[in-house]
Amino acid sequence: MYRIVMMIAIVCLLHAQEYRPPAQVQKGIEAFRSKHFDRAYAMLASWAEKGDRAAQFYVGLLYDMGTIGMMDKTEAVRWYRKAADQGYAPALYDMGVMCSKGEGIEKDLAAALEWYRKAADQGYAPALYNLGVAWERGYGVEANRTKALEYYREAAQKGIAKGAFNAWVLYEKTGEYTRALQMLRQAARLGHPKAQYRLGWNYEHGVGVAHDLAKAKEWYRKAASNGDRNAAYRYGVLLEREGNPEGAFWKALSPSP
């Protein structure tokens, strides 16, 4: 179920295309976004057969997720490829995902990178992030920190919090602390829980920033609200030091790190 939610989030929040599907296809997409998957398939299948790229992509996605009771990775790839052949960025990206995992198609990291590059050429943020991972870890290419950072920063500019967070990690490793702090702030603003926790920690301890307990609490609370247990604990500790009885509640959300 987690994977389904993430895939829906990607296509809903990061799907930026100049192409605008016909009204009936758009209704099918809205049904998909509302998790009415059977209805979405019924509305999109005929348009996919007619060659509409968006309909083809979403039909592929339905087969990929198996939400219509008939998961079929090979069929998913078939529809993704049809949409990808028309230059549809989300489909180009998902072709890369399928190739990288070997789902519905033979595993081929070089092919995956080619698909990601085609999607990235259109500015598709998840593809930019995946290229950053590939260059950082040497997936299908020789590892290259400079290229990884380039892609991570581009992904971050388009709202991918993980891109900013990974860039922070790379800059920290090489002691480029000014750039690291910039990326940490960006990741925190984009809602990355671990980045929010670390920024709060920096403010609490005066690392790279002025010591500021008010800001530390602000970022700890944001991180805790996003599920970071360490942040919940530190937020509780700071409240207790102020004599605030709510501190015990926040500390109870997580054992001491």
Side-chain angles (χ1 to χ4, degrees):
M1 179 58 69
Y2 174 77
R3 185 182 180 197
I4 292 173
V5 171
M6 289 302 295
M7 294 175 83
I8 292 173
I10 288 173
V11 296
C12 290
L13 300 179
L14 302 176
H15 178 187
Q17 295 286 299
E18 292 182 1
Y19 162 76
R20 291 292 180 268
Q24 290 301 313
V25 173
Q26 188 60 50
K27 289 181 180 179
I29 294 172
E30 291 302 324
F32 175 91
R33 292 175 177 174
S34 300
K35 302 183 183 181
H36 300 302
F37 300 119
D38 289 327
R39 185 190 309 169
Y41 181 79
M43 298 176 73
L44 293 169
S46 62
W47 283 93
E49 293 287 356
K50 293 176 184 177
D52 182 85
R53 69 186 85 170
Q56 290 170 339
F57 167 72
Y58 278 93
V59 167
L61 194 54
L62 287 164
Y63 278 113
D64 191 1
M65 297 189 308
T67 51
I68 50 178
M70 46 187 193
M71 180 180 285
D72 188 331
K73 299 293 184 177
T74 301
E75 192 69 1
V77 168
R78 185 171 79 88
W79 286 110
Y80 284 154
R81 187 183 291 275
K82 286 179 180 292
D85 286 344
Q86 298 189 63
Y88 199 59
L92 292 165
Y93 168 78
D94 274 350
M95 281 300 300
V97 172
M98 303 304 264
C99 286
S100 69
K101 294 181 177 180
E103 293 185 346
I105 193 171
E106 184 178 352
K107 185 172 182 176
D108 187 335
L109 293 181
L113 288 177
E114 250 338 281
W115 289 113
Y116 290 146
R117 287 190 185 102
K118 290 178 180 179
D121 285 345
Q122 296 187 38
Y124 194 64
L128 291 165
Y129 172 77
N130 279 17
L131 285 172
V133 173
W135 283 107
E136 179 185 357
R137 301 179 186 177
Y139 292 160
V141 292
E142 185 176 349
N144 185 309
R145 174 183 174 276
T146 300
K147 286 185 177 293
L149 281 168
E150 176 185 339
Y151 283 116
Y152 283 150
R153 289 195 302 261
E154 285 190 56
Q157 289 172 1
K158 292 181 177 294
I160 302 293
K162 295 185 297 182
F165 185 82
N166 287 10
W168 165 67
V169 171
L170 288 180
Y171 282 129
E172 278 277 320
K173 287 180 179 179
T174 54
E176 298 174 76
Y177 298 120
T178 299
R179 289 184 175 181
L181 182 59
Q182 291 172 347
M183 298 313 300
L184 181 63
R185 289 184 187 279
Q186 187 172 5
R189 288 195 298 269
L190 289 171
H192 196 290
K194 289 183 179 179
Q196 292 172 331
Y197 164 71
R198 180 52 190 260
L199 190 54
W201 187 92
N202 282 12
Y203 276 114
E204 181 182 359
H205 299 281
V207 176
V209 295
H211 177 72
D212 189 327
L213 290 182
K215 287 186 177 179
K217 288 192 298 179
E218 175 187 345
W219 285 110
Y220 281 151
R221 174 143 191 171
K222 287 181 179 180
S225 298
N226 283 329
D228 191 286
R229 291 163 58 84
N230 290 336
Y233 181 82
R234 293 306 309 163
Y235 182 60
V237 168
L238 293 184
L239 289 179
E240 281 190 339
R241 288 177 182 173
E242 297 173 347
N244 189 325
E246 288 187 12
F249 165 77
W250 286 97
K251 285 179 65 178
L253 295 179
S254 173
S256 175

